[in-house]
Amino acid sequence: MRTHVITGGTDGMGKGLALKFLARGDRVFALASGQAKGAALLAEAARLGAADRAVFVRADLATVAGMRKALAEVTDQTDVVDGLVFGAQRFASKRIETVDGLEFTFALFYLSRYVLGHGLLPALERADAPVVMNLAGPGGLPGTIYWDDLQLTSGYQGRRAAMQGSRCVDLLGAAFPLRHPDARTRYVLYNPGFVRTGMADPLPPAFKLLTKTLGLVAAQSVDRAIGPIAALIDSPPAEPLSAFMRAKRLPLEGDDFAPDRALRLDSLTARLLDGL
Ligand SMILES: NC(=O)c1ccc[n+]([C@@H]2O[C@H](COP(=O)([O-])OP(=O)(O)OC[C@H]3O[C@@H](n4cnc5c(N)ncnc54)[C@H](OP(=O)(O)O)[C@@H]3O)[C@@H](O)[C@H]2O)c1
């Protein structure tokens, strides 16, 4: 029986993957902050006859305490993780400062993936063919990392935060094999393109209506989007790091994947966490 840990496993693509894996006999830890969606996932798991293989871990992954609690709850219950999927994200139109004094998108989209990815590596390395599947934005809209103001204390825009988050996640992937050169775990950065999920729900009303309307014609369904993602989790590329924009394999070149930038962000992040 394979074990998957899925952040954002109670909605959208994370939930789609959770139910797909449960239906075929795997075990799933779904990590998210809302009780109601967690309970709904467990009810659907029970209908699939998978109640004993579905675990909902309630944690606010925008807080460092929530990241560490989730990590401890998973490692208390399993020694082995075959697949780690990152899908937790929520758009923030206005700047939100977390209890740790961090900007919300930086914390949820990037830092939680840093803490859980490195923290679960020992459990991943015990699996036969371990993989990290990081659902994000490689090869998508450009974004800038504000090295001197990572917490975006001035000039905040939700889109700017989301794009900075995407670039940080690319560098997180680039740093992973540098930090763990002997690991067997394969790291995959994957941009699913436009997918019809609840992603637009936190947008301001006019943008939400526009995005939902566009989504009806231009976005893929969750069911379609997760097919190739599940296939890559089952059979990741042989290279330690790979990146995809849907089916298109992306070259790991340029600033987005530059080793010096990856290591710079990695050490900045380690120092930041040391103080929290
Ligand atoms: N949908 C797209 O078009 C698209 C395009 C490109 C990339 N992506 C990426 O694909 C991934 C999945 O997207 P999606 O659209 O499927 O997501 P989604 O439907 O919006 O679901 C987001 C998940 O994250 C959880 N979450 C939100 N805030 C959280 C918090 N503070 N702590 C813990 N969990 C939290 C949500 O549950 P709770 O609210 O209960 O916490 C939910 O389970 C994301 O990383 C996104 O950036 C999506």
Side-chain angles (χ1 to χ4, degrees):
M1 182 174 66
R2 283 162 65 84
T3 297
H4 305 273
V5 175
I6 307 178
T7 76
T10 62
D11 210 347
M13 286 173 271
K15 181 179 184 181
L17 287 165
L19 293 174
K20 187 179 180 80
F21 292 145
L22 288 167
R24 73 183 192 189
D26 296 350
R27 176 164 62 149
V28 169
F29 290 84
L31 281 48
S33 69
Q35 183 61 38
K37 285 193 255 178
L41 176 78
L42 293 182
E44 288 188 57
R47 279 194 289 279
L48 292 171
D52 57 336
R53 289 182 281 105
V55 181
F56 169 51
V57 176
R58 188 176 184 192
D60 180 356
L61 296 177
T63 70
V64 173
M67 298 167 204
R68 290 176 176 152
K69 168 184 172 283
L71 179 60
E73 280 191 36
V74 170
T75 50
D76 279 355
Q77 293 177 72
T78 185
D79 291 331
V80 181
V81 172
D82 296 274
L84 170 59
V85 180
F86 291 128
Q89 166 62 335
R90 183 178 295 140
F91 187 83
S93 308
K94 297 208 168 83
R95 186 177 186 275
I96 301 168
E97 195 156 296
T98 69
V99 290
D100 306 300
L102 302 175
E103 188 278 314
F104 173 87
T105 305
F106 178 88
L108 176 61
F109 191 16
Y110 165 67
L111 192 62
S112 73
R113 296 172 189 218
Y114 179 102
V115 169
L116 289 166
H118 293 301
L120 285 174
L121 187 64
L124 283 157
E125 288 292 295
R126 287 184 205 108
D128 289 337
V131 60
V132 177
M133 169 57 69
N134 201 333
L135 299 175
L141 296 171
T144 301
I145 296 183
Y146 296 86
W147 293 101
D148 296 329
D149 185 20
L150 273 178
Q151 305 309 321
L152 301 179
T153 56
S154 66
Y156 182 87
Q157 289 171 3
R159 187 177 171 282
R160 188 173 287 177
M163 292 299 101
Q164 169 172 266
S166 286
R167 299 292 71 80
C168 287
V169 167
D170 286 350
L171 291 181
L172 175 64
F176 206 81
L178 300 173
R179 283 261 315 258
H180 311 291
D182 300 324
R184 293 184 302 110
T185 301
R186 295 306 177 235
Y187 205 103
V188 183
L189 294 161
Y190 187 90
N191 184 340
F194 191 11
V195 184
R196 221 172 297 127
T197 67
M199 186 186 66
D201 291 346
L203 293 174
F207 285 112
K208 177 175 167 180
L209 183 65
L210 182 68
T211 309
K212 293 256 178 199
T213 310
L214 261 179
L216 291 175
V217 289
Q220 290 190 93
S221 68
V222 166
D223 271 357
R224 272 186 80 92
I226 63 171
I229 301 171
L232 277 170
I233 292 170
D234 289 342
S235 231
E239 294 77 16
L241 172 69
S242 55
F244 292 83
M245 169 73 202
R246 293 174 67 172
K248 186 178 170 217
R249 185 100 181 239
L250 300 170
L252 299 175
E253 58 191 29
D255 276 359
D256 290 352
F257 303 102
D260 57 332
R261 287 163 54 88
L263 291 174
R264 178 181 180 191
L265 184 63
D266 185 78
S267 53
L268 269 173
T269 309
R271 280 205 300 280
L272 186 153
L273 278 169
D274 266 354
L276 294 171

